[in-house]
């Protein structure tokens, strides 16, 4: 003897705040990425008021870095570029777009106080 049981339904929802833009601190665009730097910059300008700086590179893998201007007040363009080329470039392909979540800390010491 079989009983017909109605199906049970369950719904689990996790709600989080949507952040605009989905880019917090910066992005690295590969040389063959599906969207170019200019289009990406225009999209950012439409989505946020936070200014981003463009760093163009002459490299076979990495084409551009877009980074929040505030980051460049703590870290020089040259330092960021060297870090990207030394540490991130070996991990990416030219078709990729990588998101940067940067934590630039600056230690300031004064001995004359």
């Amino acid at each position: 003897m079989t009983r017909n049981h109605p199906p049970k339904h369950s719904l689990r929802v996790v709600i989080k705040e949507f952040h605009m833009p989905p880019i917090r601190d910066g992005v690295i665009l590969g040389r063959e990425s599906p969207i170019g730097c200019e289009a990406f910059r225009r999209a950012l300008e439409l989505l946020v008021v936070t200014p981003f700086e463009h760093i163009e590179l002459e490299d076979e893998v990495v084409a551009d870095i877009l980074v929040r201007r505030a980051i460049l007040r703590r870290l020089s363009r040259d330092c960021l570029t060297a870090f990207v080329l030394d540490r991130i470039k070996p991990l990416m392909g030219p078709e990729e777009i990588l998101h940067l979540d940067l934590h630039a800390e600056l230690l300031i010491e004064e001995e004359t106080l």
Side-chain angles (χ1 to χ4, degrees), residues 27-29 31 37-38 41 53-59 62-67 72 77-78 80-81 84-85:
V27 67
I28 302 170
L29 298 167
R31 177 85 33 218
C37 183
E38 191 57 37
R41 286 176 68 181
E53 291 286 326
H54 175 220
I55 302 172
E56 188 173 358
L57 300 174
E58 294 295 327
D59 185 75
V62 179
D64 303 279
I65 302 170
L66 292 172
V67 63
L72 293 179
R77 284 172 168 254
D78 292 339
L80 178 62
T81 300
V84 166
L85 293 176

Side-chain angles (χ1 to χ4, degrees), residues 3 7 12 15 19 23 25 34 41 43 50-51 53 57 62 65-66 71-73 79-81 87-88 90-91 104 107:
R3 294 184 181 174
R12 182 171 184 257
I15 300 172
H19 295 281
I23 293 164
D25 294 325
R41 286 176 68 181
T50 305
E53 291 286 326
L57 300 174
V62 179
I65 302 170
L66 292 172
I71 298 292
L72 293 179
R73 285 194 292 265
C79 185
L80 178 62
T81 300
R87 300 295 189 151
I88 299 174
L91 306 174
L107 175 62

Side-chain angles (χ1 to χ4, degrees), residues 108-113:
I108 301 172
E109 294 184 17
E110 286 286 334
E111 294 187 26
T112 59
L113 296 178

Side-chain angles (χ1 to χ4, degrees), residues 6-108:
K8 292 183 180 180
H9 298 281
S10 177
L11 177 64
R12 182 171 184 257
V13 177
V14 176
I15 300 172
K16 295 181 181 181
E17 181 181 356
F18 181 72
H19 295 281
M20 281 304 282
I23 293 164
R24 181 179 161 184
D25 294 325
V27 67
I28 302 170
L29 298 167
R31 177 85 33 218
E32 300 169 11
S33 66
I35 185 171
C37 183
E38 191 57 37
F40 211 101
R41 286 176 68 181
R42 284 191 214 142
L44 278 177
E45 288 173 4
L46 293 172
L47 295 172
V48 293
V49 295
T50 305
F52 279 77
E53 291 286 326
H54 175 220
I55 302 172
E56 188 173 358
L57 300 174
E58 294 295 327
D59 185 75
E60 67 279 358
V61 176
V62 179
D64 303 279
I65 302 170
L66 292 172
V67 63
R68 260 188 329 117
R69 189 174 294 157
I71 298 292
L72 293 179
R73 285 194 292 265
R74 295 177 199 91
L75 186 67
S76 74
R77 284 172 168 254
D78 292 339
C79 185
L80 178 62
T81 300
F83 180 81
V84 166
L85 293 176
D86 292 344
R87 300 295 189 151
I88 299 174
K89 174 186 169 181
L91 306 174
M92 76 179 288
E95 74 286 351
E96 290 185 288
I97 299 173
L98 300 181
H99 176 264
L100 294 177
D101 188 4
L102 300 168
H103 299 277
E105 294 182 11
L106 186 61
L107 175 62
I108 301 172

